[in-house]
Amino acid sequence: MNEASSHTQERPGWRPATYYPDPAIRALDPRFEKYWLKLSAVERLATGLRWAEGPVWFGDGRYLLCSDIPNQRILKWEEETGAVSVFRKPSNFANGNTRDRQGRLVSCEHGGRRVTRTEYDGSITVLMDQFNGKRLNSPNDIVVKSDGSIWFSDPTFGLLGNYEGYLAEPEIEPNVYRLDPATGKATIVAEGVLGPNGLCFSPDEKILYVVESRGVPNRKILAYDVSADGTTISNKRVHIDAGPGTPDGMRCDIDGNLWCGWGMGDPELDGVVVFAPDGVMIGRIALPERCANLCFGGVKRNRLFMAASQSIYALYVNTQGAVGG
């Protein structure tokens, strides 16, 4: 990918750290120290995207896929060589991606207003594009639980214009859905969320976190208790009030910390923030761009990949991503 164009003086472009510890990484609470590798620095893997989203790691192939929504493509970055190529174009304005329990790519597509699965032979299966006879809005983020069920958010963001989807009127309220692995039947698990966005399960899958990106007056990260049979959620509550921050996508590590894409044009906000399980912000990774979404990967699942506006970044950390998601 080509280097990014010039930036304003107020917002200098990417500058790699020239010494350790990387000054872009900051502990806000002593609990973050155990996760901070002092001999690791933020690296930029690729740039030149228009809006980076939905990173997903393929450990068996040692590569990362990442959506570039406005450019109608999914990019592929190879860990062994650093090569960047186009994995799929057109992508149907794909946004969030994950893998199912059989290792297949599962994607949210704004363009088709649908959730799809890429089979082993490369063919695409539509898992869901309507509910009760009404078209979905623009599926956004997606996770797969250990029982194989697929959970995804469906806000209207991809219907708001022709940049990240196709301008259209919504036919259904924004919801969070669950697709049953045995029957393929869809159920609404969360309704009344103002702009449901990023999704994440706690490591024990007893809690589902949901970003409410149109929350009033601030964005919020909501928490729900997951039922024992894993089919419903209850006890909706505000886990984190983002204040001036703009959480988008998030993932849990094995200790239950939430690593969240953050920011909206403010250098003091842009990047990734880390919350302990009790909701206290304990660490920050500053980036020169807003970070939309992230995932863990690498050989030991201890490499954090960050999809940030026009670029993809990575950082080795002293933890691992929780399995799933």
Side-chain angles (χ1 to χ4, degrees):
M1 307 297 292
N2 295 327
E3 286 298 305
S5 59
S6 61
H7 295 254
T8 64
Q9 185 175 1
E10 292 77 15
R11 295 303 308 274
W14 167 243
R15 295 291 184 271
T18 57
Y19 60 88
Y20 295 125
D22 187 340
I25 306 165
R26 187 153 48 102
L28 307 176
D29 183 287
R31 287 176 288 180
F32 185 70
E33 291 289 343
K34 67 176 289 188
Y35 305 109
W36 181 3
L37 286 173
K38 298 300 175 66
L39 299 183
S40 174
V42 177
E43 306 164 72
R44 187 167 71 175
L45 307 180
T47 192
L49 293 78
R50 281 205 171 101
W51 179 242
E53 269 278 13
V56 57
W57 175 252
F58 280 72
D60 39 357
R62 293 191 67 182
Y63 62 85
L64 181 84
L65 297 183
C66 183
S67 294
D68 182 6
I69 304 176
N71 279 324
Q72 277 265 40
R73 61 184 182 173
I74 297 175
L75 296 180
K76 176 182 181 183
W77 173 81
E78 299 179 37
E79 187 177 44
E80 278 287 282
T81 64
V84 179
S85 58
V86 175
F87 175 81
R88 176 173 295 160
K89 184 178 177 67
S91 66
N92 223 2
F93 292 105
N95 187 340
N97 300 290
T98 190
R99 300 181 76 182
D100 67 10
R101 293 291 158 159
Q102 290 71 47
R104 296 168 295 191
L105 175 67
V106 184
S107 303
C108 293
E109 297 182 4
H110 286 186
R113 299 167 69 167
R114 64 187 191 175
V115 175
T116 63
R117 182 179 66 220
T118 301
E119 309 296 348
Y120 299 128
D121 63 3
S123 61
I124 295 177
T125 299
V126 178
L127 299 179
M128 183 177 174
D129 60 3
Q130 60 179 321
F131 184 76
N132 288 344
K134 296 180 180 180
R135 296 189 69 186
L136 296 177
N137 296 307
S138 52
N140 186 289
D141 201 10
I142 191 163
V143 290
V144 177
K145 198 170 175 291
S146 61
D147 62 3
S149 59
I150 297 171
W151 302 57
F152 70 94
S153 58
D154 184 41
T156 60
F157 307 151
L159 305 181
L160 302 179
N162 294 312
Y163 187 63
E164 295 185 61
Y166 300 111
L167 180 64
E169 290 296 321
E171 299 178 16
I172 194 170
E173 292 296 317
N175 296 308
V176 178
Y177 295 90
R178 176 187 183 271
L179 283 173
D180 188 87
T183 66
K185 180 182 178 182
T187 54
I188 296 174
V189 288
E191 52 189 343
V193 180
L194 304 177
N197 201 324
L199 303 176
C200 179
F201 283 106
S202 61
D204 59 9
E205 298 184 332
K206 292 182 178 180
I207 300 173
L208 175 71
Y209 298 106
V210 179
V211 170
E212 186 176 52
S213 58
R214 294 296 182 266
V216 179
N218 304 319
R219 289 197 182 201
K220 301 174 181 66
I221 298 178
L222 306 176
Y224 298 82
D225 295 328
V226 181
S227 62
D229 65 1
T231 63
T232 61
I233 56 178
S234 61
N235 191 23
K236 175 183 177 180
R237 56 199 181 272
V238 176
H239 183 59
I240 295 163
D241 185 320
T246 52
D248 191 332
M250 57 192 168
R251 288 292 181 263
C252 268
D253 66 19
I254 54 176
D255 292 332
N257 300 297
L258 274 174
W259 299 67
C260 306
W262 210 260
M264 191 58 164
D266 185 336
E268 292 303 312
L269 296 175
D270 288 345
V272 171
V273 294
V274 185
F275 292 92
D278 60 5
V280 174
M281 187 185 295
I282 62 173
R284 179 172 182 266
I285 303 165
L287 298 174
E289 309 172 69
R290 173 187 175 183
C291 181
N293 216 325
L294 46 79
C295 74
F296 288 92
V299 175
K300 298 295 184 180
R301 294 183 63 84
N302 65 337
R303 198 173 190 185
L304 183 70
F305 293 100
M306 299 163 278
S309 299
Q310 299 178 19
S311 307
I312 304 169
Y313 297 90
L315 173 70
Y316 282 100
V317 293
N318 195 30
T319 187
Q320 296 176 310
V323 176

